[in-house]
């Protein structure tokens, strides 16, 4: 009768399996980070559009107030390079277009992310990174300031309505 020695087999299998599991976990982290950023940025852009839809052309508030409102929403994203990299003096690129007199308003937000090591190498080889090795995430949200029936009304838009009431 021959006895097989298998007492160390589990240790050898674990030595191969544990690094593979950590690698898979690392590969799943980057898409989760990018998805989280995408959700926060989309929500901030939508909130910014709702705020811009009420912006008066001659109002007392400057664009800095509206940009600050959007940046407070973006503060949910941690200031860590794998979530949001502080590149240069301006960390977020926020472009806002429109006010209450426009048919539509839009907000565009650009974020730069330092990819995790293994995916970063692949992203650089694929040409997905900029010159500094950062991935760029862009969100653009556009929405109407008024429902379509308001602008299609034969009496004109909201600005013309107020002159009729006087």
């Amino acid at each position: 009768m021959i006895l097989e020695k298998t007492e160390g087999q589990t240790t050898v299998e674990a030595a191969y399996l544990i690094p593979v599991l950590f690698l898979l976990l690392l590969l799943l982290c980057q898409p989760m980070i990018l998805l989280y950023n995408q959700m926060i940025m989309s929500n901030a852009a939508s909130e910014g559009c709702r705020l811009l839809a009420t912006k008066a052309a001659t109002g007392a508030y400057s664009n800095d107030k509206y940009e600050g409102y959007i940046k407070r929403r973006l503060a949910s994203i941690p200031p860590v390079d794998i979530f949001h990299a502080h590149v240069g003096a301006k960390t977020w690129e926020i472009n806002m277009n429109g006010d209450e007199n426009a048919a539509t308003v839009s907000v565009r937000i650009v974020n730069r992310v330092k990819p995790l090591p293994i995916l970063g190498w692949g992203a650089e080889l694929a040409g997905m990174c900029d010159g500094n090795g950062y991935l760029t995430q862009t969100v653009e949200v556009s929405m109407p300031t008024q429902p379509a029936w308001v602008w299609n009304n034969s009496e004109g838009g909201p600005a013309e309505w107020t002159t009729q009431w006087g």
Side-chain angles (χ1 to χ4, degrees):
M1 178 152 94
I2 300 174
L3 294 175
E4 293 183 28
K5 295 272 187 176
T6 59
E7 295 168 353
Q9 181 178 353
T10 307
T11 306
V12 172
E13 289 174 357
Y16 286 114
L17 188 61
I18 290 174
V20 171
L21 289 176
F22 280 129
L23 180 65
L24 289 175
L25 183 63
L26 180 66
L27 290 175
L28 288 175
C29 284
Q30 189 75 54
M32 289 187 293
I33 289 169
L34 294 176
L35 181 61
Y36 176 77
N37 286 352
Q38 189 81 14
M39 290 185 329
I40 299 297
M41 291 167 58
S42 294
N43 187 28
S46 296
E47 290 285 328
C49 282
R50 285 192 278 279
L51 186 64
L52 283 176
T54 63
K55 177 183 176 189
T58 59
Y61 294 120
S62 67
N63 280 343
D64 293 339
K65 296 279 186 182
Y66 294 95
E67 190 172 318
Y69 178 85
I70 294 169
K71 283 182 179 179
R72 282 191 295 280
R73 301 305 177 268
L74 293 171
S76 298
I77 297 176
V80 179
D81 282 352
I82 62 172
F83 283 92
H84 170 68
H86 294 279
V87 181
K90 194 171 186 180
T91 61
W92 293 100
E93 288 182 31
I94 300 172
N95 298 323
M96 301 171 293
N97 296 314
D99 59 16
E100 70 178 357
N101 295 321
T104 60
V105 292
S106 65
V107 174
R108 182 174 183 263
I109 302 172
V110 178
N111 182 26
R112 285 180 180 68
V113 177
K114 189 73 166 175
L116 294 173
I118 294 173
L119 292 176
W121 300 325
E124 284 187 37
L125 288 175
M128 297 171 63
C129 295
D130 63 6
N132 297 327
Y134 293 101
L135 291 173
T136 302
Q137 270 188 299
T138 303
V139 169
E140 187 163 358
V141 175
S142 179
M143 61 178 54
T145 55
Q146 300 287 335
W149 65 268
V150 172
W151 297 108
N152 296 333
N153 189 342
S154 63
E155 301 296 325
E160 288 81 25
W161 297 348
T162 58
T163 60
Q164 297 172 10
W165 297 335

